Amino acid sequence: MYTICIVSTKGGVGKTTMAANLGGFAADAGLRVLLLDLDAQPTLSSYYALDRRAPAGVYELLAHNESDLATLVSHTVISRLDVILSNDPQHQLGTLLLHAPDGRLRLRNLLPIFRPHYDLLLIDTQGARSVVLEMALLASDLAMSPVTPEILAARELRRGTLQLVSDLAPFRRLGIEPPPLHLLINRVPAISSTARLVGEGLRLIFPDDPEAAIHLMEAQMPSIESIARAATQGLPAHRVEHRRPSGRLAPSALEAMRDVATELCPQWRDRFAQVNGRIRGASVDVERA
């Protein structure tokens, strides 16, 4: 099971939208996908309609070490896409984990529960630094941070998210390597000199280096209306827009999501290439990762 944490200490950059759409795309590629909603504002939990709502959620998983999948996992209407719902509106988990001996490692220690059943775990997080966010990063194979192409967002990236990842370095003494961080420029307008300058500046700061701990992704997510329309309909964006509208320079939602998914998970490149937004699910089966 491959685990990706979608993280940013700045709110409003599109973490939840990326988690939902990446999960829906991977599920349509035939992967068994689990969404884990660690944001106390349960936007991801309500993005897709549910076929089955589990009686428990994130609180029982982390506070009580609940291990029964039938108790924890809700099933969405998207085939092969499940979710563990956020159910900590009083923000009690932060305090609990902060004072627990294994607080920052609890999720990492619980992952074996899910490995036989899922190929991809996507973790959505709160847009602020917390022990819950640090725990999510330490449980992940890779972290992805959306960055909007704005000067203030770029500055906050350095102050917040990059500093957070750097502060996890002491865990290497326990044999735990913090995940590499992939930066995704999100909501790129078709024409914007500021967006272009921000992108060029980020590429100067993070030159292309496959061995680097921080990598600026080649893929970008355009600012297109179909992303918002898909959220309104409770569908993955690639199903809503699988063709590029005539005369538009920006790629279709299907093209953009395929590029992002392939760069994050190149091991499933062939499966992603087969996704067709005109169908409701992929016909292929996938072996357990």
Side-chain angles (χ1 to χ4, degrees):
M1 183 180 72
Y2 196 60
T3 301
I4 299 177
C5 177
I6 301 178
V7 57
S8 174
T9 56
K10 185 179 187 302
V13 296
K15 295 188 302 296
T16 298
T17 300
M18 281 306 307
N21 282 304
L22 186 59
F25 182 85
D28 273 2
L31 302 180
R32 300 166 300 169
V33 182
L34 178 63
L35 304 174
L36 178 60
D37 190 355
L38 292 184
D39 193 341
Q41 296 179 348
T43 308
L44 181 62
S45 297
S46 58
Y47 190 98
Y48 294 117
L50 300 179
D51 264 345
R52 175 189 177 273
R53 187 183 185 93
V58 163
Y59 187 84
E60 289 75 16
L61 172 68
L62 297 176
H64 305 314
N65 291 341
E66 177 61 60
S67 61
D68 179 53
L69 263 64
T71 302
L72 291 171
V73 175
S74 298
H75 304 305
T76 77
V77 295
I78 307 296
S79 179
R80 294 177 295 274
L81 182 62
D82 295 340
V83 59
I84 299 181
L85 302 175
S86 170
N87 61 347
D88 181 34
Q90 303 303 318
H91 301 261
Q92 298 177 36
L93 280 175
T95 302
L96 184 152
L97 294 170
L98 189 63
H99 294 93
D102 66 337
R104 288 172 174 80
L105 299 180
R106 182 161 297 184
L107 180 57
R108 180 184 179 92
N109 294 335
L110 289 168
L111 289 186
I113 299 170
F114 307 108
R115 284 199 179 103
H117 308 281
Y118 295 97
D119 306 294
L120 178 63
L121 171 63
L122 296 172
I123 306 173
D124 188 28
T125 60
Q126 189 176 10
R129 182 161 182 172
S130 67
V131 63
V132 176
L133 180 51
E134 293 172 9
M135 176 195 67
L137 282 166
L138 290 169
S140 301
D141 299 301
L142 182 146
M144 190 268 280
S145 182
V147 185
T148 52
E150 305 159 329
I151 297 297
L152 292 179
R155 290 174 181 169
E156 176 58 29
L157 169 70
R158 179 177 288 279
R159 262 195 318 262
T161 306
L162 300 187
Q163 186 62 49
L164 167 63
V165 174
S166 175
D167 289 347
L168 296 177
F171 282 89
R172 292 191 175 99
R173 300 170 188 167
L174 300 177
I176 300 171
E177 190 71 24
L181 178 63
H182 282 47
L183 307 177
L184 172 70
I185 302 180
N186 191 28
R187 300 175 184 161
V188 179
I191 301 175
S192 171
S193 59
T194 300
R196 180 177 56 80
L197 289 172
V198 169
E200 291 175 354
L202 288 172
R203 294 198 184 281
L204 288 174
I205 297 171
F206 307 109
D208 189 25
D209 181 359
E211 304 300 321
I214 300 172
H215 171 69
L216 184 63
M217 296 177 63
E218 290 293 331
Q220 297 183 355
M221 282 302 297
S223 178
I224 50 178
E225 181 270 341
S226 58
I227 302 291
R229 183 154 40 95
T232 301
Q233 298 177 20
L235 290 172
H238 73 277
R239 291 187 182 181
V240 171
E241 185 183 79
H242 53 84
R243 283 184 181 175
R244 184 185 309 193
S246 177
R248 195 180 77 188
L249 295 178
S252 68
L254 173 62
E255 292 171 309
M257 285 310 308
R258 179 183 289 125
D259 288 345
V260 171
T262 300
E263 192 165 350
L264 291 173
C265 306
Q267 65 270 37
W268 293 311
R269 178 186 303 272
D270 291 343
R271 294 190 180 276
F272 295 152
Q274 297 175 29
V275 175
N276 186 332
R278 291 171 294 182
I279 61 176
R280 290 303 178 189
S283 61
V284 295
D285 293 322
V286 63
E287 297 178 358
R288 181 166 60 88

